Amino acid sequence: MTLETALFWTSRLVLLSLLVQTLEFIWTNRSWSDEGIWKFTTLKSELATIFPIGKIGIRLLFSAVSIQVLLALRILIIAHAFIQPNAISFLLLLFSHLILCWRYRGTYNGGSDMITLMTLLGLSISYSFTDLKSMRAFGLFFIAVHSMSSYFLSGLYKLKQESWRDGTALTIFTKKNWPQPLMKILSWGVLCFEVGSPLSLLNLNLTYAFITLAFFFHALNAAFLGLTRFLWAWAATWPAILFVTTYLSI
Amino acid sequence: MWIFLVYILILLVGFGIRLKTPQSLRLSYFRIFFPSWRFFEAPGDRLSFSVMSESQSFWHEVSFHQPQRRFLICFWNPIGNEKMARYNLLEHFVQDLDATNTYEDTELLTSFKLLQNMAAEEIKKIEKDFKKYKFKISLNDEDDLLISDWFLR
């Protein structure tokens, strides 16, 4: 996959992911409104401790009205970046992503917020250096390294656990009473997929096989555990992995 | 350029370190810059959150279960994702709880105040005209980690 094709797909997929996230925030607007759990009045003193930008600054960034405006602007920026991806759009999206995460005291959905931030950082680098091919490639490497390490390290940590090796962890997480031998096989399937993920960088066929498996892996996670944002967020990193494999095989 | 290289170096060092409990509030806010990829590492304790209104005098457990599985849920799950954020809030509070000594200290925590908001919202679903309410957090359906005082609406 060429640098430009990888940038095209990474940017479009992350924009799609951000659009879904934005619409979900609008759908659940009650949670961050002045009537909801994460109401501004409850959070403002803590936010003021973390960000020394004055009361007006805190209100401008984090009040319910500001979040409403931010989400509306985000849709416009996403639409603009979809047609014409550029550094300013990705930096603005990165900033808005941080504001939303901080509004929920760090992250909203954990891992998916983290990988989205890494993707936006990588794209901001790539699109900031339109004339410098090495830096454009660096941005994609940044995304691919994070994506790969997320699979590999997650698998490695699981592998250390007896409950993952014997399949009981999967039974508990999925809340399925399937036969233990089957759970053990499925469990080892997850472990092999995650720990073996760096091998997919050896050639393009392996990368395509890895991405196919990754798609089903995330789709099952979405279906069984409700991790829907993870599917979108990680899908945006796959073109960067394809680019890195192509780059390494030249 | 150098800022990014230093940042990547910090990330690489950070891969080997796990901060079980956020060392400080600021660190907890900025943890997004230092991703931890420990997903579903081991089955942990089950936390439950229950609410009670003065007039009903029985505990009502709040469900964090994902909505019924449908194909569409793979792509669009606003309610489920919000429930996940609520459960994360509960876990965050339990971590914060370790650092407090008295109930008065606990009441000052932002995570406690957010749970209080959550309790009020949940009670409202059961009883619209409630006057007083309280909540409790339990571990594995056995130990009560915290039972709050009564709060006025």
Side-chain angles (χ1 to χ4, degrees), chain A residues 151 154-156 158-159 163-167 170 180-197 209-210 213-214 216-218 220-221:
Chain A
Y151 290 109
S154 173
L156 208 60
K158 286 189 187 94
L159 193 62
S163 59
W164 267 98
R165 295 196 301 272
D166 65 19
L170 202 59
Q180 195 58 20
L182 176 65
M183 278 305 192
K184 195 170 178 175
I185 291 168
L186 290 173
S187 200
W188 273 98
V190 172
L191 294 173
C192 291
F193 162 71
E194 289 194 327
V195 177
S197 57
F210 166 76
L213 283 174
F216 285 109
F217 172 71
H218 286 290
L220 288 172
N221 279 340

Side-chain angles (χ1 to χ4, degrees), chain A:
Chain A
M1 184 174 271
T2 65
L3 176 65
E4 294 310 318
T5 317
L7 277 174
F8 176 90
W9 284 109
T10 306
S11 56
R12 269 40 173 214
L13 285 168
V14 82
L15 289 169
L16 205 59
S17 169
L18 287 169
L19 181 66
V20 174
Q21 289 181 24
T22 309
L23 294 174
E24 286 191 342
F25 275 124
I26 294 170
W27 191 273
T28 54
N29 62 75
R30 196 182 151 76
S31 82
W32 47 264
S33 75
D34 291 334
E35 306 294 312
I37 297 169
W38 286 272
K39 61 178 83 170
F40 178 67
T41 46
T42 307
L43 293 165
K44 65 181 177 186
S45 59
E46 183 175 285
L47 288 165
T49 316
I50 305 292
F51 306 101
I53 51 171
K55 279 183 182 175
I56 297 170
I58 293 293
R59 185 168 286 277
L60 268 175
L61 286 180
F62 299 106
S63 72
V65 176
S66 304
I67 298 294
Q68 230 167 353
V69 173
L70 182 86
L71 292 171
L73 284 176
R74 227 159 99 114
I75 293 177
L76 292 177
I77 299 167
I78 290 167
H80 180 258
F82 208 90
I83 300 161
Q84 197 177 3
N86 60 83
I88 293 171
S89 294
F90 285 111
L91 285 168
L92 286 172
L93 288 169
L94 194 149
F95 179 69
S96 71
H97 184 66
L98 286 173
I99 296 290
L100 288 168
C101 287
W102 287 332
R103 190 55 161 71
Y104 287 88
R105 307 178 75 229
T107 61
Y108 182 69
N109 272 175
S112 64
D113 292 328
M114 289 170 180
I115 198 74
T116 301
L117 182 78
M118 296 305 138
T119 311
L120 287 172
L121 268 171
L123 286 173
S124 299
I125 300 169
S126 292
Y127 282 104
S128 294
F129 297 90
T130 44
D131 298 327
L132 208 58
K133 206 176 169 185
S134 58
M135 283 307 287
R136 284 169 81 78
F138 175 76
L140 287 175
F141 265 85
F142 182 82
I143 297 168
V145 164
H146 275 289
S147 183
M148 266 299 151
S149 46
S150 70
Y151 290 109
F152 177 67
L153 290 171
S154 173
L156 208 60
Y157 294 133
K158 286 189 187 94
L159 193 62
K160 285 183 189 169
Q161 302 291 332
E162 175 74 35
S163 59
W164 267 98
R165 295 196 301 272
D166 65 19
T168 50
L170 202 59
T171 308
I172 295 166
F173 288 130
T174 58
K175 298 183 182 81
K176 296 282 173 203
N177 287 319
W178 292 346
Q180 195 58 20
L182 176 65
M183 278 305 192
K184 195 170 178 175
I185 291 168
L186 290 173
S187 200
W188 273 98
V190 172
L191 294 173
C192 291
F193 162 71
E194 289 194 327
V195 177
S197 57
L199 295 174
S200 68
L201 295 172
L202 289 175
N203 69 53
L204 268 176
N205 289 335
L206 285 173
T207 312
Y208 280 116
F210 166 76
I211 290 172
T212 310
L213 283 174
F215 174 79
F216 285 109
F217 172 71
H218 286 290
L220 288 172
N221 279 340
F224 284 104
L225 306 169
L227 302 174
T228 50
R229 288 191 175 198
F230 285 62
L231 171 62
W232 293 101
W234 261 271
T237 68
W238 298 336
I241 296 174
L242 277 168
F243 167 73
V244 169
T245 310
T246 313
Y247 186 91
L248 295 176
S249 60
I250 294 170

